[in-house]
């Protein structure tokens, strides 16, 4: 029985109870988006002159960018290191990155006081601004991601262009166009793949530089000049766990068998990266002597401790154990913890650590902010599901077996 | 031999590192040259003279077409019960700090943008909507701003305010040093109205001298500290006070310009695009080698 893995659109029913719950969340999110556009940021969010940035930046943007790191880490592994066996993981990761960054861009737009000026940085440059550089990198990378996704589109539709009715005349030209696109892309794709990895390294680290300018407004446990390095290392560490996590969930939800071999191998690569991240994080703490802040037990120090222990140390231990990385359960828990750790780290950096000298009411996200954040996540999951059902993204075993001969028709 | 090449490698890396830091520190100095114009202006605020009449608050609003109650309303001293901050509706506010003992006076402190010499907001703004003008003012351009509020995150004095209540075309608001008035040779509105001459407008260099002279002449009246002389690399607004500035809720800040670290990191990562291009070349090389390795192993 030959067992060839090939990306194929998955045919399943789109609407399941889970999908309906997600749709409700998405709907609520969209309602709040409309309210924000009609009545302004102040009407929907708890942002103030003391706390100019909230969870739309901390979670939707900062954590969103970090958690889309599966895209560039698998691209580096599959295409640059040329580990062919991992190719079946590249497409889902690419899709996640593409959707992730699209929603990052949407969240940024939503958070901008003047969203209709979002194109300004394209022509008004301030090279000293870290935000400018993050913005440019993310914008170009989003474009690169779309290009990287194009071959999947052409693969899906070449020879299958089938417009209804009078649009039929377009069938042939569009098919020709797709074929041309396919051929050119094939030759130049490596340029975009490398660019994608470089751009990711740049903006993942610059995202860390973003808060450095806040200076003493940021809690010393997080404020360090090596923030860019820590952000890059944590993004690299969370890349594979994200891929494992999604792969396990996707196979579960579509009733496929998880590719345990590959995922375990991927899992074994997580430990060294987490180890490096942890050592820099601890080293930085020792050098700057910030551990003294851990003596006082308060929300800040507890969140820092959770971030390091639950988000790095425990999963590190899990990924170091060959026994645990061989089981879907171990892999799942380990990955989930790393993801949780990086998510919490971004929240900590952008929200918890931000401690302005003059404050009146502490910041806590409003229902509207939480609604939009959950709504966007729900939309992303829904789109992911829709995409894997339309496009050849998830690899499923193609049984090329003589068994078909014996199947009874209609059974 | 291997040893030799490793040492060589270390040497080159060190050189590259030095190159990057060298470039970045040069970039730091190469910030717009008008930033440290010798003739830039400033205001010296003598908090021991201020009586908290809040006329400056009124004048500032009038000068900026902001809605304001009539000037008599400002005699109400109950507002001092709470600390207030400048916001989108008031570019400057006066706070009062009660005396510590019965033979002392309360201290009144006018708060507004400090017009830093190396402004964090200017460095941070994604589109360059903030600019440092030759006369020292830090001003904002409504035609550029996209409302990202990064300037607010960056400002060490927590000054820029945003119109959160507005859905369309919200603005960033802060004291603009009355740029439109000073351009025409007029005094800033708050300075002009101050009945006690608690505010002195003049060349920053001279103001620093005057401040130190005052401290020298009346050592029992002032603490020996001109706030703003060195804070975050110097600010256009300078303060004298009879008490330690931390008691008056001035933020305790170092002497380094706020944007210094980020700009160094930023320019280090991007120094003339060398690091990104080098990374690109490196990855391209790795990709190529791996491709060829695959080929040879396949033909074997
Ligand atoms: S006080 Fe704040 S807003 Fe004013 S110039 Fe300095 S950094 Fe900019
Ligand atoms: S809110 Fe406006 S002025 Fe402030 S950093 Fe953003 S674009 Fe610049
Ligand atoms: S200088 Fe002008 S803008 Fe600034 S506080 Fe005084 S009156 Fe207001």
């Amino acid at each position: 029985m030959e067992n060839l893995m090939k990306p194929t659109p998955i045919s399943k029913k789109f609407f399941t109870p889970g999908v309906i719950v997600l749709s409700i969340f998405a709907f609520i999110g969209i309602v709040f988006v409309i309210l924000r556009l009609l009545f302004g940021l102040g009407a929907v969010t708890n942002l103030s002159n003391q706390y100019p940035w909230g969870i739309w930046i901390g979670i939707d943007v900062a954590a969103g960018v970090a958690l889309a790191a599966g895209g560039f880490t698998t691209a580096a592994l599959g295409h640059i290191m040329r580990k062919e066996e991992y190719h079946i993981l590249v497409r889902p990761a690419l899709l996640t990155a593409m959707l992730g960054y699209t929603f990052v861009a949407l969240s940024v737009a939503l958070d901008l006081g003047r969203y209709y000026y979002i194109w300004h940085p394209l022509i008004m440059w301030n090279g000293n601004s870290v935000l400018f550089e993050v913005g440019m990198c993310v914008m170009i990378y989003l474009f690169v991601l779309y290009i990287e996704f194009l071959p999947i589109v052409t693969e899906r539709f070449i020879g299958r262009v089938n417009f209804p009715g009078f649009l039929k005349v377009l069938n042939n030209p569009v098919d020709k166009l797709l074929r041309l696109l396919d051929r050119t892309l094939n030759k130049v794709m490596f340029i975009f793949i490398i660019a994608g990895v470089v751009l990711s390294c740049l903006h993942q680290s610059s995202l860390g530089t973003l808060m450095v300018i806040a200076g003493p407004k940021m809690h010393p446990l997080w404020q360090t000049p090596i923030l860019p390095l820590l952000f890059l290392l944590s993004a690299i560490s969370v890349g594979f766990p994200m891929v494992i996590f999604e792969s396990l969930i996707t196979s579960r939800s579509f009733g496929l068998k998880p590719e345990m071999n590959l995922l375990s191998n991927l899992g074994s690569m997580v430990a060294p990266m987490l180890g490096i991240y942890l050592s820099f994080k601890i080293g930085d703490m020792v050098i700057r002597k910030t551990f003294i802040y851990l003596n006082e037990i308060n929300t800040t120090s507890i969140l820092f401790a959770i971030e390091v222990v639950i988000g790095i140390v425990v999963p590190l231990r899990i990924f170091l154990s060959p026994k645990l990385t061989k089981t879907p359960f171990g892999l799942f828990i380990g990955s989930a913890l790393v993801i949780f750790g990086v998510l919490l780290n971004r929240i900590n950096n952008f929200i918890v650590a931000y401690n302005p000298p003059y404050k009146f009411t502490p910041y806590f996200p409003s229902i509207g902010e939480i609604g939009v954040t959950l709504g966007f996540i729900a939309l992303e999951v829904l789109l992911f599901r829709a995409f894997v059902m339309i496009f050849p993204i998830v690899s499923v075993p193609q049984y090329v077996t003589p068994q078909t001969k014996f199947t009874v028709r209609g059974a | 031999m291997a040893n030799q090449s490793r040492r060589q490698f270390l040497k080159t890396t060190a050189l590259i590192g030095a190159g990057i830091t060298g470039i970045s520190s040069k970039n730091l100095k190469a910030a717009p040259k008008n930033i440290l114009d010798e003739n830039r202006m400033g205001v010296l605020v003598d908090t021991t003279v201020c009586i908290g009449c809040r006329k400056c608050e009124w004048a500032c609003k009038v000068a900026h077409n902001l809605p304001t109650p009539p000037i008599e309303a400002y005699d109400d001293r109950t507002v001092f019960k709470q600390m207030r901050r400048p916001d989108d509706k008031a570019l400057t506010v006066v706070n009062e700090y009660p005396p510590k003992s019965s033979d002392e006076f309360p201290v009144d402190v006018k708060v507004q943008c400090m017009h830093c010499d190396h402004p964090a907001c200017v460095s941070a703004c994604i589109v360059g909507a903030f600019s440092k003008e030759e006369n020292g003012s830090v001003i904002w351009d409504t035609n550029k701003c996209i409302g990202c509020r990064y300037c607010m995150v960056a400002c060490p004095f927590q000054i820029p305010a945003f119109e959160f209540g507005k859905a369309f075309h919200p603005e960033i608001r802060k004291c603009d040093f009355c740029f439109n008035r000073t351009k025409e040779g007029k005094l800033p509105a708050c300075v002009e109205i101050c009945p006690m001459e608690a505010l002195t407008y003049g060349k920053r260099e001279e103001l620093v001298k005057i401040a130190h002279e005052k401290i020298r002449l009346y050592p029992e009246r002032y603490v020996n500290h001109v706030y703003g002389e060195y804070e975050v690399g110097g600010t256009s607004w300078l303060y004298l006070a009879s008490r330690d500035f931390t008691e008056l809720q001035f933020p305790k800040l170092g002497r380094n310009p706020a944007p210094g670290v980020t700009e160094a990191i930023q320019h280090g990562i991007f120094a003339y695009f060398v690091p990104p291009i080098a990374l690109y070349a490196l990855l391209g090389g790795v990709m190529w080698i791996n491709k060829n390795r695959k080929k040879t192993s396949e033909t074997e």
Side-chain angles (χ1 to χ4, degrees), chain A residues 38 41-42 48-49 52-53 80-82 111 113-114 116-117 120 126 128-129 133 191 210 213 217 357-358, chain B residues 122 124-125 142-150 152-153 155 158 162 164 169-170 249 251 267 270 280 290 294:
Chain A
L38 290 180
L41 278 170
S48 62
N49 287 328
W53 279 1
I80 294 181
M81 303 311 291
R82 291 246 164 196
D111 192 76
R114 302 168 164 192
Y116 41 86
Y117 276 173
H120 271 190
N126 176 15
N128 284 331
S129 168
E133 191 250 292
I191 299 177
L210 219 45
I213 203 167
K217 281 176 173 176
Y358 311 99
Chain B
V122 173
C125 178
T142 186
N143 296 320
K144 288 186 176 170
C145 176
I146 63 173
C148 66
R149 310 185 299 288
Y150 189 39
M152 301 170 72
V153 172
C155 171
Q158 204 184 331
F162 180 75
F164 283 101
H169 232 53
Q249 288 181 302
H267 295 304
F270 275 86
Y280 195 101
N290 281 320
K294 272 276 142 54

Side-chain angles (χ1 to χ4, degrees), chain B residues 29-89:
Chain B
K29 278 177 221 134
K33 55 177 177 306
N34 62 17
I35 274 183
L36 292 181
D37 188 295
E38 269 175 30
N39 290 320
R40 69 193 184 282
M41 307 303 280
V43 171
L44 177 62
V45 186
D46 190 336
T47 59
T48 66
V49 177
C50 178
I51 52 167
C53 69
R54 294 170 59 220
K55 299 265 188 302
C56 52
E57 289 187 21
W58 177 82
C60 180
K61 287 196 184 191
V62 172
H64 292 87
N65 296 320
L66 293 167
T68 167
I71 193 163
E72 299 79 47
Y74 286 82
D75 292 336
D76 171 20
R77 296 188 80 89
T78 55
V79 293
F80 290 140
K81 286 202 189 107
Q82 265 180 8
M83 186 210 30
R84 295 178 305 147
R85 295 289 302 163
D87 59 21
D88 49 317
K89 293 173 192 77

Side-chain angles (χ1 to χ4, degrees), chain A residues 290-352:
Chain A
T290 48
F291 42 78
I292 50 165
Y293 296 97
L294 294 176
N295 278 336
E296 23 183 311
I297 308 283
N298 52 30
T299 331
T300 322
S301 58
I302 291 174
L303 284 173
F304 183 85
I306 294 178
E307 183 194 319
V308 175
V309 177
I310 313 242
I312 311 177
V313 179
V314 176
L316 178 63
R317 179 68 196 83
I318 293 178
F319 281 113
L320 276 178
S321 141
K323 223 170 68 206
L324 282 172
T325 46
K326 290 235 157 53
T327 64
F329 180 74
L331 274 182
F332 185 80
I333 297 293
S335 306
L337 287 181
V338 179
I339 294 167
F340 165 78
V342 172
L343 176 69
L344 182 61
N345 172 263
R346 297 309 190 255
I347 295 176
N348 280 345
N349 266 296
F350 281 81
I351 297 162
V352 176

Side-chain angles (χ1 to χ4, degrees), chain A residues 243-307:
Chain A
V243 172
I244 297 172
F245 185 78
E246 274 162 359
S247 183
L248 287 174
I249 289 189
T250 316
S251 28
R252 186 71 188 267
S253 130
F254 289 116
L256 303 168
K257 230 172 84 224
E259 263 311 297
M260 276 316 287
N261 254 346
L262 274 186
L263 295 185
S264 303
N265 283 346
L266 215 51
S268 62
M269 287 182 239
V270 176
M273 296 173 189
L274 266 183
I276 297 174
Y277 173 44
L278 181 68
S279 55
F280 271 97
K281 193 138 175 120
I282 302 284
D284 173 65
M285 193 164 83
V286 171
I287 290 171
R288 291 185 307 114
K289 301 204 175 52
T290 48
F291 42 78
I292 50 165
Y293 296 97
L294 294 176
N295 278 336
E296 23 183 311
I297 308 283
N298 52 30
T299 331
T300 322
S301 58
I302 291 174
L303 284 173
F304 183 85
I306 294 178
E307 183 194 319

